[in-house]
Amino acid sequence: MSLRPFLGLVPLGHVDLLVLQHLCTAITEFLSLPVRILPPRPLPPHTYHLPRNQYDSTRLLEYLLSESHDEAFRVLGITAVDLCIPIFTFVFGEAQLDGKAAIISTLRPGGGADNIKPRQPIFLERLVKLSLHELGHTFNLPHCRREGCLMGFAANLEILDQKNIELCEYCRILLADYFNTVSDL
Ligand SMILES: [Zn+2]
Ligand SMILES: [Zn+2]
């Protein structure tokens, strides 16, 4: 007999408890999976990219995996710092396609890049969209071009705000197929 698998939320550095609790509830509802908030981890200095004053998203993802909770079948790292990868000036998040780990940053959804602070419900909604989008990649969903779909690529906040907290019909089928073929879920 094994414990029911869960999805773990891992704060990387300081993250507001309210944000974690909101994501915990929203992800549980959307994916019908148990979600737990795991103990926070410090941001490792080697993931800091001094020339850009940002954190290397890919390295943070690797760190998250190396430190990840064995019992969690997925881990979502959440951080308040700005993330980047070499080819983009910033990323909202990153994930391993059909892998265990994903990561999101709360900085830009909170208006941290341009000092335009959104209302709290908008901020939280952005984080839910980003979390579910990146987790979608870990469930092998690629980017989708159907209008409003959660798996659409969002290059900026405007596009993110136009998305629904909903998968298109096609992505819903792909996700259901994925869960059906993964025996331990
Ligand atoms: Zn994506
Ligand atoms: Zn879709």
Side-chain angles (χ1 to χ4, degrees), residues 151-171:
M151 290 315 294
F153 174 70
N156 55 48
L157 289 175
E158 205 184 335
I159 301 173
L160 182 66
D161 287 341
Q162 285 165 5
K163 284 207 258 186
N164 304 318
I165 304 187
E166 214 171 58
L167 293 170
C168 72
E169 199 183 345
Y170 181 74
C171 289

Side-chain angles (χ1 to χ4, degrees), residues 104-123:
I104 64 155
S105 161
T106 65
L107 185 120
R108 288 173 192 260
D114 40 22
N115 268 328
I116 305 171
K117 213 171 179 276
R119 289 187 301 112
Q120 184 81 341
I122 293 176
F123 171 56

Side-chain angles (χ1 to χ4, degrees), residues 14-90:
H14 175 75
V15 178
D16 275 352
L17 189 58
L18 179 110
V19 163
L20 296 169
Q21 285 168 339
H22 186 81
L23 288 178
C24 191
T25 308
I27 296 168
T28 304
E29 274 174 22
F30 191 90
L31 291 171
S32 304
L33 290 170
V35 181
R36 281 191 217 163
I37 299 170
L38 298 177
R41 304 272 178 191
L43 283 160
H46 77 275
T47 62
Y48 180 62
H49 190 58
L50 183 66
R52 289 165 63 161
N53 189 26
Q54 289 171 310
Y55 281 75
D56 185 314
S57 170
T58 310
R59 282 184 167 189
L60 259 183
L61 206 52
E62 283 164 7
Y63 165 76
L64 180 65
L65 261 179
S66 69
E67 297 282 309
S68 89
H69 200 290
D70 287 341
E71 287 171 39
F73 75 101
R74 288 292 184 278
V75 279
L76 175 67
I78 299 147
T79 184
V81 297
D82 202 18
L83 299 175
C84 69
I85 57 172
I87 57 162
F88 287 119
T89 53
F90 76 92

Side-chain angles (χ1 to χ4, degrees), residues 76 93-95 102-104 129-138:
L76 175 67
E94 190 180 341
I103 185 174
I104 64 155
K129 288 177 186 176
L130 289 176
S131 299
L132 293 172
H133 176 97
E134 296 305 342
L135 287 169
H137 285 317
T138 72

Side-chain angles (χ1 to χ4, degrees), residues 141-152 166-172 174:
L141 295 181
H143 281 150
C144 174
R145 288 173 179 270
R146 286 170 185 80
E147 206 181 328
C149 179
L150 203 46
M151 290 315 294
E166 214 171 58
L167 293 170
C168 72
E169 199 183 345
Y170 181 74
C171 289
R172 269 207 300 272
L174 286 181

